[in-house]
Amino acid sequence: MGFSSQQTVIVGLGLMGASLALALRPHVAHLVAVEPDAPSRQKAVERGVVDEATDDLRMAVKRADTVILCAPVRVILSMVRDKIGAWLRSNTLLIDIGSTKQDICEAMGKLPIGIQAVGGHPMTGKEVSGLDAADPFLYANRPWVICPTRRTTPAARGRALALIEAVGALPVEMEAERHDKVVAAISHVPYLLSASLVATVRRFAEDDPSVWDLAAGGFRDTSRLAGQDIKMMSDILGTNTQAVATLLAMFRVQLALLETMLISRDESHLVDALTPIREARTAWYGQYERRMNGNGKHR
Amino acid sequence: MGFSSQQTVIVGLGLMGASLALALRPHVAHLVAVEPDAPSRQKAVERGVVDEATDDLRMAVKRADTVILCAPVRVILSMVRDKIGAWLRSNTLLIDIGSTKQDICEAMGKLPIGIQAVGGHPMTGKEVSGLDAADPFLYANRPWVICPTRRTTPAARGRALALIEAVGALPVEMEAERHDKVVAAISHVPYLLSASLVATVRRFAEDDPSVWDLAAGGFRDTSRLAGQDIKMMSDILGTNTQAVATLLAMFRVQLALLETMLISRDESHLVDALTPIREARTAWYGQYERRMNGNGKHR
């Protein structure tokens, strides 16, 4: 069953919103962007990313039958909590792409009955941000988590799935709480480790600045997440504190186990502990590579 | 001053040794490989990587005026401690490429007087290993640390520098102890973090295996080092335990600082702490990219 929508509104013309616009455009009748930045609005219309762009959220969403919120988590939260509920028509599908889901889904659950709201998190992205980096295949073959809310009717779920399939993404359904724990493990804790590593090297460099000159590929990869946008990350950490703290505690245990064997020079146990870790990483990476190279439906 | 050597011996035809052979070949009169694996020896000679290949370390090194040990740290250590000293001629330059330097340099310092021994660590590598991945430009524009030993005469130092420059690498001179702390910070601690992260996700996956399906680019990069060869890493960790333990303790402090702000929901201080970390990573990455794109002498 294909995705159909007469008036589709994408809120936010960053990388994610603009890429979604490009991917959705062939499937929708009229595509409207809501974006506060005037040059981005102009560019998006000139390049045919959307049919129309406005800074008036209210005017745009009140005629919409589909609204997709493509903004940092707390911007989404404030729109869902304070604004959009009174403006949406009954039966409008509301979905978002925020990186944490519990707070957003809870807020969606308090919207007026009749609004069809589904939490969403596409597991995709790029090193670069903004409209200029927009890519119609950003979502193709990537998992897109959807989380039910108290406003997710079977019809809402069906429309969300159709939207996700229209852009070539692979829908994964899970509860918001479970989603937030998973991303704490694979994304938010890795960010904090990466930031703490850079902080450590920075302290070390006060005594020996040559550390920066010798750092190479291993440091590059392990430290990459420390370069992520801080506003985005502080929204994420602030709305997923408990899961991140829990996973950090689990991490500390694993690190302490390895460290104990290291310091006590118990090398045979250290090798025994590292072996299944290496195997797990290798197995995961093989599966990830196949996934990234498009063993899904869309190429 | 160019590098000159009548009989040059490379011990070990893995990625590093074979690449070094390809890079050195135009500069040396006669290049011999010592390698226990017969098929590798045959391939190396057939492909012209070296002039001659043997499994007889003693015969090869006793006629050499330059010997380069390209093996895992403890293999190098056992050669330096137990074998090679009695076989080398006076005035032979002995250099190695082991990843930790204190133990190796200390062992080199106990070699018979007359042997010219210098510790070395080229900061380069590849995802793939073995002779088939050999690359004559593997060392070009990459830092190559050399560490003095009690057997490093000014002539030995000069010959080591000439060798490094012959393969296009950028020599960096530092004491072995300082080297080992630096690599603990940028390489060995990152490895343990990466392994501990994979161990955490593995534990988490016992309750929720979907974590593997959703893990994407952030996890890929942060977990990459966990896939490194365990024999190599256990040699490294076992010969750099104290520096790794010290740097891990520094890391724990940095992580605890961020974690405290996270759990206490002190977001403004968290942002204040993350901002200079992000700036340091961004500044380093810019410098690293310029270095990798060959702002050095050789392209």
Side-chain angles (χ1 to χ4, degrees):
Chain A
M1 194 196 60
F3 177 67
S4 79
S5 174
Q6 287 308 306
Q7 170 97 355
T8 307
V9 175
I10 290 179
V11 182
L13 278 175
L15 169 72
M16 301 296 282
S19 297
L20 192 59
L22 290 171
L24 269 183
R25 191 116 202 244
H27 302 276
V28 298
H30 190 71
L31 190 55
V32 181
V34 179
E35 166 59 50
D37 180 57
S40 295
R41 287 200 303 271
Q42 197 187 333
K43 242 190 231 175
V45 174
E46 277 171 13
R47 296 184 188 169
V49 175
V50 290
D51 297 297
E52 196 187 325
T54 172
D55 62 351
D56 189 336
L57 180 64
R58 183 170 167 272
M59 284 302 291
V61 303
K62 74 181 202 178
R63 291 171 301 160
D65 43 16
T66 305
V67 174
I68 309 156
L69 305 176
C70 300
V73 171
R74 277 166 170 161
V75 178
I76 294 173
L77 267 178
S78 103
M79 287 190 285
V80 174
R81 280 178 182 155
D82 306 329
K83 295 176 183 169
I84 218 164
W87 303 337
L88 293 174
R89 300 191 303 196
S90 191
N91 265 324
T92 297
L93 172 67
L94 177 70
I95 187 167
D96 78 299
I97 63 148
S99 305
T100 58
K101 296 266 62 77
Q102 270 191 284
D103 288 2
I104 290 173
C105 289
E106 201 183 295
M108 282 179 168
K110 292 175 182 159
L111 289 169
I113 291 176
I115 295 174
Q116 304 198 8
V118 182
H121 183 206
M123 310 299 281
T124 187
K126 267 192 187 180
E127 298 289 295
V128 285
S129 60
L131 175 65
D132 291 334
D135 171 0
F137 299 107
L138 187 66
Y139 297 88
N141 293 316
R142 300 291 171 268
W144 184 324
V145 175
I146 56 170
C147 304
T149 75
R150 288 177 61 223
R151 293 290 170 269
T152 306
T153 60
R157 173 178 170 270
R159 286 169 70 189
L161 290 173
L163 185 157
I164 290 167
E165 282 167 10
V167 300
L170 310 170
V172 177
E173 297 180 77
M174 58 171 71
E175 296 294 322
E177 187 182 348
R178 185 175 152 206
H179 166 274
D180 284 5
K181 281 183 190 159
V182 167
V183 291
I186 59 179
S187 180
H188 311 161
V189 162
Y191 169 73
L192 287 174
L193 301 181
S194 191
S196 305
L197 172 66
V198 173
T200 306
V201 171
R202 221 174 136 238
R203 281 302 299 272
F204 185 91
E206 290 171 14
D207 293 330
D208 188 348
S210 74
V211 71
W212 295 122
D213 302 325
L214 295 181
F219 179 73
R220 177 198 61 213
D221 290 353
T222 330
S223 70
R224 182 175 67 84
L225 293 180
Q228 288 192 126
D229 183 74
I230 289 175
K231 166 85 184 81
M232 181 186 79
M233 287 313 304
S234 84
D235 270 22
I236 286 172
L237 295 171
T239 57
N240 203 20
T241 305
Q242 200 191 318
V244 173
T246 305
L247 266 296
L248 267 183
M250 286 174 65
F251 169 83
R252 263 200 312 273
V253 171
Q254 299 300 325
L255 181 60
L257 286 171
L258 296 180
E259 191 175 5
T260 305
M261 300 175 215
L262 173 82
I263 296 179
S264 63
R265 300 183 181 270
D266 182 358
E267 208 162 304
S268 75
H269 282 109
L270 184 59
V271 167
D272 288 349
L274 290 171
T275 301
I277 290 173
R278 179 173 191 265
E279 286 165 359
R281 205 282 170 179
T282 305
W284 171 80
Y285 187 67
Q287 172 210 317
Y288 170 77
E289 282 276 272
R290 285 190 296 280
R291 196 198 324 151
M292 293 300 281
N293 291 328
N295 66 345
K297 281 174 283 182
H298 309 274
R299 274 223 72 150
Chain B
M1 192 194 60
F3 177 69
S4 79
S5 174
Q6 288 307 305
Q7 170 97 353
T8 307
V9 175
I10 289 178
V11 182
L13 278 177
L15 169 72
M16 301 295 282
S19 297
L20 192 59
L22 290 172
L24 268 182
R25 191 120 202 242
H27 302 276
V28 299
H30 190 70
L31 189 55
V32 181
V34 179
E35 166 59 48
D37 179 58
S40 296
R41 288 200 303 272
Q42 197 186 335
K43 241 189 233 178
V45 174
E46 277 170 13
R47 296 184 189 170
V49 176
V50 291
D51 296 297
E52 196 187 324
T54 171
D55 61 351
D56 189 335
L57 180 65
R58 182 169 167 273
M59 284 302 291
V61 304
K62 73 181 205 179
R63 294 170 301 159
D65 44 16
T66 304
V67 174
I68 310 158
L69 305 176
C70 300
V73 170
R74 278 168 171 158
V75 178
I76 294 173
L77 267 177
S78 103
M79 288 190 285
V80 174
R81 281 179 182 154
D82 306 329
K83 296 176 183 168
I84 218 164
W87 303 335
L88 292 174
R89 302 189 303 196
S90 191
N91 265 325
T92 297
L93 172 66
L94 177 70
I95 187 167
D96 78 299
I97 63 148
S99 305
T100 59
K101 296 268 61 79
Q102 270 192 282
D103 288 2
I104 291 172
C105 289
E106 201 183 295
M108 283 179 166
K110 292 174 182 159
L111 289 168
I113 290 175
I115 294 175
Q116 305 198 9
V118 182
H121 182 206
M123 311 298 282
T124 188
K126 267 192 189 182
E127 299 290 295
V128 284
S129 60
L131 175 66
D132 290 334
D135 171 1
F137 299 107
L138 187 67
Y139 297 88
N141 292 315
R142 301 291 172 266
W144 184 325
V145 175
I146 56 171
C147 303
T149 77
R150 290 177 60 223
R151 294 291 170 266
T152 307
T153 60
R157 174 179 168 269
R159 286 169 70 190
L161 290 174
L163 185 157
I164 290 167
E165 282 167 9
V167 299
L170 310 170
V172 177
E173 298 181 77
M174 58 171 72
E175 295 295 323
E177 187 184 347
R178 187 176 152 206
H179 166 274
D180 284 4
K181 282 183 189 160
V182 168
V183 290
I186 59 178
S187 180
H188 311 161
V189 163
Y191 169 73
L192 288 174
L193 301 182
S194 191
S196 304
L197 173 65
V198 174
T200 307
V201 171
R202 220 173 137 240
R203 279 303 299 273
F204 185 91
E206 291 171 14
D207 293 329
D208 188 350
S210 74
V211 70
W212 296 121
D213 302 324
L214 295 180
F219 179 74
R220 177 198 61 213
D221 288 355
T222 329
S223 70
R224 181 173 69 83
L225 293 180
Q228 288 191 125
D229 183 73
I230 289 176
K231 166 87 184 81
M232 181 186 79
M233 287 313 304
S234 86
D235 270 22
I236 287 173
L237 295 171
T239 56
N240 203 20
T241 305
Q242 200 189 319
V244 173
T246 305
L247 265 295
L248 267 183
M250 285 176 64
F251 168 83
R252 263 201 311 273
V253 170
Q254 298 301 325
L255 181 61
L257 286 171
L258 296 181
E259 192 177 3
T260 305
M261 299 176 219
L262 173 81
I263 296 179
S264 64
R265 300 185 182 269
D266 183 357
E267 208 163 306
S268 74
H269 281 109
L270 184 60
V271 167
D272 288 350
L274 291 172
T275 301
I277 291 172
R278 179 172 190 266
E279 286 165 0
R281 205 283 170 178
T282 305
W284 172 79
Y285 186 67
Q287 172 209 315
Y288 170 77
E289 282 277 272
R290 286 190 295 280
R291 196 201 319 152
M292 293 299 282
N293 291 328
N295 67 345
K297 282 175 282 182
H298 309 275
R299 275 223 69 157

